[in-house]
Amino acid sequence: MIDARGYSCPMPVVMVQKAVQKDAPASLEVLVDDPCAVENITRFAHNHGYQAAAQERDGGAFSLTLTKQP
Amino acid sequence: MDKTKYWVVGAGIATGLAALLLTAAGNPANMGFCIACFIRDIAGGFGLHSADKVQYLRPEIVGLVLGAMAAALAGREFRARAGSSPAVRFVLGMIVMVGALAFLGCPLRMVIRLGGGDLTAVSALLGFAAGIGVGVVFLRRGFSLGRAYPAKRADGFALPGFVIAVLALLLTAPAFIHFSQTGPGASHAYWLISLGGGLLVGILAQKSRLCMAGGLRDVFLFRDFHLLRGFIAIFLTVLLGNLLMGQFQPDLAVQPVAHHDYVWSFLGMALAGWGSILLGGCPLRQLILAGEGNGDSAVTVFGMLTGAAIAHNFGMAGSADAMKDGVFTAGGVPSAGRAGILIGLALLLLISLTNLHKEDPTK
C-alpha cells in the first residue's frame, strides 16, 4: 500500500509510477487526501494498463484500488 | 474525451480569451495575464519596491485566488493544510520570481507573448522546458519537500483574506498605496473587468488543475499530455485572437514589454521552470492552490511578492527594449540580474540535492 496522504501532485503519481515500474503488481492500494491526486493517479492507471476505483474515506481522504487489466 | 479533458481545454480557451479581452480593455500588450508581472505590480503598489512604472494593485490576482476559493468550496475541495517545507517554498517563490522578472513574464505570459508573435520569447520557452527537464530528473531521483498536514480551517483563508485586503486598498486608494502614472503599471483595464477575468480563470483553473509547468512536466515524467492541452489551448486562442484583430506581429523586432537578451531569457525561464517543478506548480497554480486552502502555496506567493521586491530593489529585473522617435534603446537583463539567475540556479541545485529521499514508496 502507498500512503501518499499529505503529498501534493505530482508526488502521489510519482510514487505509484515507481511501484508499478518496480514490481508491476497485480493490484495496488493508494491512500491520498488530494482530489487532484485521485484524478492524476486514475489517468496514470488507465494509461499504464490498470483499472482504478476510488472510494472516499473519512477525513477527506481517498482510497484508490488499482487493478492490472488482463 | 473524458470530462477532465474538457475542463482543461475550456480553461485554456477561457484564459486566452480573458488575456485578449483584458489587453483590449487596457492591460499592456501581450500582458493580458501575467502572474509574475501582476504580483510585481502589487509589490510596487505596497511600496515594497520603488520602480515607479510597475506599481498597481492588480485585481486579476484577487479574482484568481477568490475564484479558486469559491470553486473549491463549492466542489468540497477546500482543504486547509500546511507544513511541507514552508521556508524552502518561500525561498523557491523568490527564486522563481527573479527568473521570471529577468525574462519579463511568468510562464503564462510567455505563452501569451508567443501567441502575439513575440519570437523573442522562443528562447524562454526552450529554457522553461530545459528547467522542467532538470526538475523532472530530481523528481525521478526522489526529490520531495515532504508531507503537508491538516491545518486549522481559518489558516486556509490566509491568502484569500490577503487579496480581499488588496482589493479594499485598491478601491479606497489611501495615500500610502502607489499607483504608476506611466509605464505598464499605468496600463490596466477597469477594475471590475480585471476582477471578473481573474474570477473566471480562477474558477476554471481550480476545476481543471491548469498549470503551465505541469503540462510539460507530465509529458516528461509520465508521457501524459493532459495538462499540456491547456497550455496549447491558451496559445492557440491568443494566436487566433491576435490574427483576427490584426495584432499578430511575428518577428524579432521591438515587442511589447520584451527584450532581445536570449541567453538570459533562456536561463531566467530555466530558473522559473526548475523552481516551479520543485514547488509542484507554476506561479498561476500556486495562486490556485492557495485559494484551495493550501498554506504552503500561500507562503510561496508571499515569497514571490518578496522576490519581486528584491528583483527591483537589487536591480535584477529585466528592462524592455524601446523605440522612441525612431531611436532604438536595447533593454535586457542587467549584471545584477545575471548574478541573481546564477545564484538562483546554484540554490535550486542545493535545494534539489538536499531534499532527495530514497525510501520505497510502498513502505
Side-chain angles (χ1 to χ4, degrees):
Chain A
M1 190 183 80
I2 296 174
D3 182 0
R5 286 176 297 178
Y7 287 110
S8 50
C9 277
M11 293 315 301
V13 194
V14 172
M15 293 163 88
V16 170
Q17 183 187 40
K18 281 186 177 171
V20 166
Q21 285 177 342
K22 187 182 168 202
D23 300 324
S27 72
L28 184 64
E29 192 173 349
V30 190
L31 278 178
V32 295
D33 57 3
D34 178 4
C36 178
V38 175
E39 291 170 14
N40 291 345
I41 291 172
T42 301
R43 201 167 53 249
F44 176 86
H46 290 161
N47 291 341
H48 290 80
Y50 284 81
Q51 281 184 329
Q55 199 173 9
E56 191 161 1
R57 290 186 165 199
D58 290 339
F62 300 87
S63 170
L64 280 138
T65 306
L66 275 56
T67 314
K68 202 170 176 59
Q69 288 175 316
Chain B
M1 220 186 233
D2 70 49
K3 241 179 12 183
T4 58
K5 287 178 190 167
Y6 286 121
W7 276 116
V8 79
V9 172
I13 292 171
T15 305
L17 288 174
L20 290 166
L21 171 75
L22 287 166
T23 299
N27 277 12
N30 287 352
M31 204 196 283
F33 255 112
C34 173
I35 309 306
C37 315
F38 291 178
I39 287 178
R40 170 206 59 199
D41 291 352
I42 291 175
F46 284 170
L48 299 177
H49 67 69
S50 51
D52 61 6
K53 291 185 175 175
V54 284
Q55 296 174 325
Y56 179 59
L57 303 185
R58 294 275 179 188
E60 290 87 349
I61 299 293
V62 178
L64 285 168
V65 175
L66 296 185
M69 182 192 74
L73 286 169
R76 294 177 52 243
E77 292 188 345
F78 186 89
R79 283 168 164 75
R81 55 183 182 169
S84 169
S85 305
V88 174
R89 287 179 188 273
F90 184 90
V91 173
L92 286 172
M94 288 171 60
I95 292 172
V96 165
M97 209 62 170
V98 167
L101 290 179
F103 160 63
L104 294 175
C106 68
L108 177 56
R109 181 170 187 242
M110 177 184 73
V111 177
I112 291 169
R113 278 173 58 173
L114 289 166
D118 179 352
L119 299 181
T120 68
V122 171
S123 66
L125 175 63
L126 296 175
F128 186 57
I132 289 172
V134 174
V136 162
V137 169
F138 284 102
L139 284 181
R140 283 211 175 106
R141 288 174 179 269
F143 174 85
S144 168
L145 289 176
R147 293 179 199 267
Y149 298 90
K152 290 177 188 162
R153 192 166 167 82
D155 283 3
F157 292 102
L159 201 70
F162 174 76
V163 296
I164 288 170
V166 169
L167 184 62
L169 289 167
L170 170 71
L171 298 181
T172 54
F176 57 82
I177 295 296
H178 302 252
F179 292 96
S180 295
Q181 300 304 311
T182 58
S187 302
H188 53 80
Y190 179 59
W191 71 272
L192 262 175
I193 297 174
S194 298
L195 182 66
L199 281 168
L200 173 72
V201 174
I203 291 168
L204 293 173
Q206 195 281 328
K207 298 292 288 180
S208 66
R209 331 297 188 195
L210 185 69
C211 176
M212 300 293 101
L216 286 171
R217 176 200 66 202
D218 288 358
V219 172
F220 294 163
L221 255 182
F222 313 121
R223 299 283 175 264
D224 180 349
F225 291 80
H226 175 77
L227 283 178
L228 193 65
R229 291 186 179 98
F231 189 106
I232 293 169
I234 296 172
F235 171 72
L236 291 177
T237 305
V238 174
L239 175 68
L240 209 66
N242 280 319
L243 281 169
L244 289 172
M245 294 188 288
Q247 294 169 352
F248 184 66
Q249 305 286 343
D251 54 42
L252 292 164
V254 177
Q255 291 280 354
V257 201
H259 59 66
H260 283 71
D261 209 341
Y262 302 122
V263 171
W264 293 97
S265 287
F266 177 96
L267 290 171
M269 286 310 277
L271 189 66
W274 185 359
S276 294
I277 294 306
L278 303 186
L279 284 166
C282 69
L284 168 68
R285 184 76 182 137
Q286 297 305 320
L287 289 173
I288 302 304
L289 287 171
E292 292 176 5
N294 188 320
D296 295 321
S297 290
V299 168
T300 304
V301 173
F302 288 124
M304 293 197 291
L305 196 70
T306 308
I310 287 176
H312 279 280
N313 289 339
F314 291 7
M316 293 192 289
S319 60
D321 292 338
M323 181 74 83
K324 197 174 178 187
D325 302 328
V327 179
F328 173 75
T329 310
V333 181
S335 304
R338 295 175 182 190
I341 289 171
L342 294 178
I343 291 168
L345 288 168
L347 284 172
L348 289 190
L349 182 63
L350 183 70
I351 291 168
S352 299
L353 290 172
T354 53
N355 286 282
L356 293 179
H357 304 274
K358 295 286 182 194
E359 73 263 25
D360 184 339
T362 57
K363 293 284 184 292

